[in-house]
Amino acid sequence: KGEAYFDVTHDETRPFVVMVGDRQVTDLGTKFQIRRETASLRVAVLEGRVQLDEKNTSAKPVVLNAGDVAVTHGGAIKLARLDTRELEKDLGWQRGVLVFDNRTLGDVTAEFNRYNTRKMIITDRAVAATRIAGTFRADNVDAFVNTLERVLGFHVTRRGEDIAISH
């Protein structure tokens, strides 16, 4: 599990290959990001091209170009196309910030929880569905929670290291 960003100068005589579970990503001269979660893999290409293969199968490799995003879940691969500016928002973690644009609070808290030992727990589905936009320091859970409390009027309860968020 985790996330990495690669900026690779292509050399056909020495290919750069990243092995992720049963998948392999081969550089074809590029800047790309890989994010592995428990049950999925996300490959996003900011510049150039990469090739995504599944090891030990006869499945045809998928070539991704700048702006392409592939998300794998099990044996399935879903492809999408995004503006490279949108993809660069996902690299905010390199600067210590998380950037959200119209994301659900459920997604936002899951992202914060990846970077912090103090965990936010949403106890209400309506609260989880609330849309959030903004740039927040990844390591400052308290500032984010204070914003939820003061600006959006959510109720916040601290339970040891956990923070419960509700209406």
Side-chain angles (χ1 to χ4, degrees):
K1 288 171 60 172
E3 188 168 12
Y5 173 74
F6 302 93
D7 184 348
V8 181
T9 301
H10 183 63
D11 181 348
E12 286 187 27
T13 63
R14 296 179 10 212
F16 181 80
V17 177
V18 180
M19 305 299 288
V20 186
D22 62 350
R23 306 268 181 192
Q24 151 178 323
V25 179
T26 305
D27 154 65
L28 302 174
T30 189
K31 294 179 181 179
F32 64 102
Q33 175 185 21
I34 296 176
R35 179 173 176 164
R36 183 176 185 188
E37 306 252 354
T38 303
S40 66
L41 172 70
R42 180 180 187 267
V43 178
V45 182
L46 282 86
E47 226 176 75
R49 300 180 316 143
V50 300
Q51 179 174 300
L52 176 61
D53 294 288
E54 186 169 357
K55 298 184 307 186
N56 305 320
T57 72
S58 59
K60 186 177 177 182
V62 176
V63 174
L64 304 171
N65 296 298
D68 288 342
V69 177
V71 177
T72 70
H73 191 79
I77 299 176
K78 291 185 180 180
L79 299 174
R81 184 125 182 97
L82 293 175
D83 184 281
T84 53
R85 289 181 304 236
E86 289 298 313
L87 293 174
E88 288 170 356
K89 288 180 184 178
D90 289 341
L91 297 176
W93 58 269
Q94 292 179 317
R95 301 182 320 274
V97 297
L98 301 175
V99 181
F100 305 107
D101 185 15
N102 197 31
R103 299 270 303 275
T104 66
L105 184 56
D107 288 343
V108 170
T109 57
E111 192 69 14
F112 264 100
N113 288 346
R114 288 183 67 227
Y115 293 93
N116 296 281
T117 55
R118 296 180 66 207
K119 303 299 181 195
M120 290 182 276
I121 301 164
I122 300 176
T123 60
D124 181 318
R125 287 182 189 218
V127 171
T130 302
R131 295 287 176 173
I132 300 288
T135 301
F136 306 93
R137 283 194 26 212
D139 63 350
N140 198 341
V141 174
D142 287 325
F144 179 71
V145 169
N146 287 339
T147 300
L148 295 178
E149 206 168 19
R150 291 182 184 153
V151 176
L152 298 177
F154 292 137
H155 181 71
V156 173
T157 306
R158 287 166 177 78
R159 303 174 186 159
E161 285 297 305
D162 293 338
I163 303 167
I165 305 165
S166 61
H167 261 298

